[in-house]
Structures are given as structure tokens and as C-alpha cells.
Amino acid sequence: MAFCMNCGKELANEKFCPNCGIPQDGGRPFKAQRNQMAKPGVRSRDLIFKALEVLEQKPLRLWGMSLLCQLLVGLAAMFGVLPIISIPIALVLNAGMAAVYLSGYRGEEVNSDALFAGFKRFFKVAGGMGWMTLWIFIWGMIPLAGPVFAVIKSYSYRFVPYIMIQDPNISATEALRLSIKKTEGYKGRMFLADFLVMVAVWLVMLILGGLSLIRRVGIVFSILGIIVAIFIALVLPLLLGLISAAGYAEFFASTKADSDDEKEVEAKT
């Protein structure tokens, strides 16, 4: 009769103890493979609540930066003449806007410095954003299932703008690979957060639309629906941008911590 030298559990010729994982021949302890598709931590609703908290604190600043970004993108399209000029400018501005949302989420000052951060390395950031957009377009061209693949890949590449802005030495292909790695196991949560917000918006508009059909009082709900629609048009892009930044801030840091923990455990064993 054999027993584990560590926990005392009865063994039946196992090389590793099924209770504590300690090897019975003096080798390295057994480590079960971690499930990369079901990582614990921040949930979809947490992303929404965290984004709403930031939006409540800095609504005017964020809206001002968003309006400035849209204005500059419009001017680039108007005076850029050629798409080869206007499109890279728009891509870099969008990456800068992602950096603005990330600054707001982290509690940092929200200003134009983050919006124009990508212009310091214009060609590299534009190349990274363009490479990401191209691959989403290619996936979307697959017959029948293309739109589904495009959505999935858009979440796989979601961290690319933040990576390109924050890492001056990374290339476009490396940024895509890193984003794919860091979003592994988290794409569903980010998609669900966006989906819940959009469902809530559609439900509100559907209810107001139905109430506007009521005789006599319908006009009141019609006016209210217009006001709510304007409010949603102003706030929704900010909320979605903050949710995306929350995903990067929470999940990118989480995967980095997991990697550091694994290295520390391997070093000890």
C-alpha cells in the first residue's frame, strides 16, 4: 500500500498524487492546464458600470474631445482631397480618441494631448490602424459567415489602438498578434457589454415609439422620444468608447499579471 509523502493520500501506482499534485519520484509538481476560455475577474456588467461612473464624472470633457475628433475627421475628409491622405489622418485620430477614453477611465486628465498622441509616430500608428482595418475587411469578405468573422476579429483586434499609442517600438503585425493574445478568453465579455448597451437603447426607443402611438398623449411621447434620441446620439459613442477602454485597462493588465505569476511559479519550481 502506497501513500503520498506530502498529504498522506492512498495511491494506486500514480506518478502524481491526485490530491495535491506532488510527484512521487522527486520530479516537478504537476500543474493543471489553465482554462484560457473561462478566466475569472471583471464581468460584462462591471465594464458597463465602470464606464458609466467615469462618464458621470467627466461628461463635458469627453464629449468635447469626441466632438473635436469628429470635426477634425470631417475636415480631413473635406480638405484631404485624396483618400490616401484623409484616411490615415482619420485612423490616427481614432487611435488618439481611444487614448482619450483610456486616460479618462484611469482617472487622468482628459485633454487634447492624448488625442494627438498618435501624430508623434504618425506613419507607424496609421499603419497599425490600417492593418487592423484591412484584416477586419478581409474577414468580412468571406461568403455567408463573413460578417460574423468580422465581428469576432474586431474584438480580437480591439486592443490595437491602445497598444500602438503606448508602445513606440511595436510594429503593426506585432500589435495585432499581441491584441489577439490579450483578448483571448475576454472577447465574449466585451461583446456582451456592448450588446447589453445596444439592447437597452433599442428597448427605450421601442417603448417610447409605442407610447407615441397613444391618442392624445402620443405627441408628448413623440417629443420625449426625439429628446432621448438626441441624448443617446451624444452619449452612446462616449459610453462605448469607455467600455472599450475599460476592457483594455482591466483585461490587458489581468493577462499581464497572469503571465507574471506563471513566470514566478516556474522560477520557484
Side-chain angles (χ1 to χ4, degrees), residues 136-155:
I136 294 175
F137 174 77
I138 291 174
W139 281 104
M141 293 297 291
I142 297 176
L144 299 179
V148 176
F149 281 115
V151 171
I152 294 173
K153 290 302 177 180
S154 67
Y155 283 92

Side-chain angles (χ1 to χ4, degrees), residues 36-45 47-48 155 158 185-196 243 251 254:
Q36 297 296 324
M37 299 305 295
K39 298 181 179 180
V42 179
R43 297 166 295 181
S44 300
R45 64 181 183 181
L47 295 178
I48 298 173
Y155 283 92
R158 193 163 197 173
Y186 297 119
K187 292 189 290 292
R189 300 184 201 183
M190 293 186 288
F191 170 78
L192 182 58
D194 292 343
F195 180 75
L196 290 175
I243 290 174
F251 298 148
S254 176

Side-chain angles (χ1 to χ4, degrees), residues 102-113:
L102 184 61
S103 297
Y105 181 79
R106 288 175 170 174
E108 302 170 357
E109 184 179 357
V110 176
N111 53 43
S112 58
D113 291 344

Side-chain angles (χ1 to χ4, degrees), residues 60-106:
L60 295 180
R61 283 280 186 135
L62 290 170
W63 184 78
M65 288 295 100
S66 177
L67 182 63
L68 177 60
C69 179
Q70 295 175 26
L71 177 62
L72 292 175
V73 169
L75 291 175
M78 186 180 301
F79 298 105
V81 184
L82 298 175
I84 197 173
I85 298 175
S86 60
I87 291 178
I89 293 175
L91 292 174
V92 173
L93 285 170
N94 286 329
M97 197 62 215
V100 169
Y101 290 128
L102 184 61
S103 297
Y105 181 79
R106 288 175 170 174

Side-chain angles (χ1 to χ4, degrees), residues 227-245:
I227 296 173
V228 171
I230 294 173
F231 176 78
I232 290 174
L234 294 175
V235 173
L236 185 59
L238 307 183
L239 180 58
L240 294 177
L242 286 171
I243 290 174
S244 177

